[in-house]
Amino acid sequence: MTDIKKLLAELELEAVNPGACTGEWIEPSERNELVSKNPSNGQPIASVIQADADAYEQVVEAAQASFATWRMMPAPARGEIVRELGNELRKYKDPLGRLVSLEMGKILSEGLGEVQEMIDMCDFAVGLSRQLYGPNMTSERPRHRMYEQWHPLGVVGIVTAFNFPVAVWAWNAALAAVCGDTMIWKPSSSTPLTAVAVQNISNKIMDRHGLSGVFNLVIGPGRSVGERMINDSRVPLISFTGSTRMGRHVAEATATRFGRSILELGGNNAIIVEPDAKLDLVLRAVLFAAVGTAGQRCTSLRRLFLHSSIADGVIEKLVKAYGSITSGDPLDESTLMGPLVNESAVEEHFAAIEKAKEQGGEVLIGGGRPDKPGNFVEPTIIKCSEHIPIACDETFAPILYVFTYDELEEAITVHNSVAQGLSSAIFTSSVYSAETFLSHEGSDCGIANVNIGTSGAEIGGAFGGEKETGGGREAGSDAWKAYMRRQTCTINWSTELPLAQGVKFDVE
Ligand code: UN1
């Protein structure tokens, strides 16, 4: 049993916490309390006073003011501060991982993994702080030099979802910080305490350097605080993780004011299993991707395409494995699946199962609600003889739709027929099948794996997807470029003024 009081104290959380911070915590004048509840039993953990318009204003002003000095600090010096943040997170990995599990409901190993993802991101950003490169181009004009450089962008708004309450902040914050941006984090209202805990940790580092206003926090409702931020022209970039419906709204709001957005929206991820696949790997990958995090990852496996020659055997083994999944307290080390985030997620889970049945799907296992308090559901497998309409929707729950196919090309066509395009995978030993899946006529997703499930990506790659997933890229590779502005510079060191394209424009 986790001693909740002790855990909160370790992370410097109170029973009631202020919900806005610039380094200094801000007490809003109105007392609008948000109670964070444990999704495993519905019990309150602690609460946060939500930010009001005044608190938001103070935070934006602080973020803008600190941008003026932060951007002038050499990037490797900013990297040094991010290195310290990574080290501090190493110290707090255990309690912070526990709090993620307690408040969000993912199992402890995944809660700890999420903090590790933050640490990895800090390490990555430290290296990057010496590599914010721009290329040199060869000029067509004599004694001219042309090159590209990158400048910090300004204040970045980071809107995160409940399912990765801290890692997705780190994807954005570590990059934005080394790029010279300051930022405002609006976490999900379902996970305010983890955000306060992370802010406490970053405050320690910034205090050490006499800095504030770089990492800022506003906790408050999307309809007031979130709306204010996405429409605020003082915030040139909004990085948004959440539903496709909200993402469309964010895209419109930012585009109207010529702001930028990074969108990480819904997925509808699938695995294709070829006849020559190593089935023991398939089984483990499917279980982790479909049942892990109770199906509440953007990368969770929702659709499984089995070649008809191996389908019956795989289904039989999967059903057996599902039967032995233990659900319960995510902090108990024997638990494999925790609860869903709230009661409406439970309702959506059952509504999707009902629709699937109406559309001809056959529930092979699951479909029920365990007899215990909390937002628990049974992980569910639904066999479908065709690609039914409900399989085109993303339901944030542990429901797996299973289909059979005969030709790989046919499976890829159906695979790509959904509106979302985040993560995808094929299991095969054949170079032909793997390369077909990875080719221009293969998977249309932002992430395409071979013999690895759809979830659990490393931070080193760019993370994100196509179509209704929003097109954004975060974390590794060159995702940092979205947090900076590009400048093309041409320098003439000759005594002439030749014009490009051979244009003559001389006065007598
Ligand atoms: C998300 O679900 O929003 O690839 C992020 C993964 C994790 C990140 C998921 N590294 O499953």
Side-chain angles (χ1 to χ4, degrees), residues 117 163-164 168 171 241 264 296-299 454-457 463:
E117 198 160 339
N163 64 334
F164 274 81
V168 173
W171 291 358
T241 303
E264 210 265 277
Q296 299 174 106
R297 292 192 188 212
C298 309
T299 50
T454 51
S455 63
F463 183 95

Side-chain angles (χ1 to χ4, degrees), residues 193-216:
L193 300 176
T194 49
V196 173
V198 169
Q199 184 72 29
N200 279 334
I201 293 170
S202 73
N203 285 350
K204 280 188 213 305
I205 307 303
M206 300 317 266
D207 284 352
R208 208 184 276 167
H209 293 273
L211 290 163
S212 68
V214 175
F215 302 109
N216 303 286

Side-chain angles (χ1 to χ4, degrees), residues 221-253:
R223 58 182 184 282
S224 53
V225 169
E227 277 304 309
R228 210 171 276 277
M229 189 159 84
I230 65 174
N231 289 298
D232 193 334
S233 53
R234 295 169 296 179
V235 184
L237 171 66
I238 300 286
S239 176
F240 174 84
T241 303
S243 68
T244 294
R245 190 181 59 80
M246 271 311 295
R248 185 172 281 123
H249 175 60
V250 171
E252 284 169 4

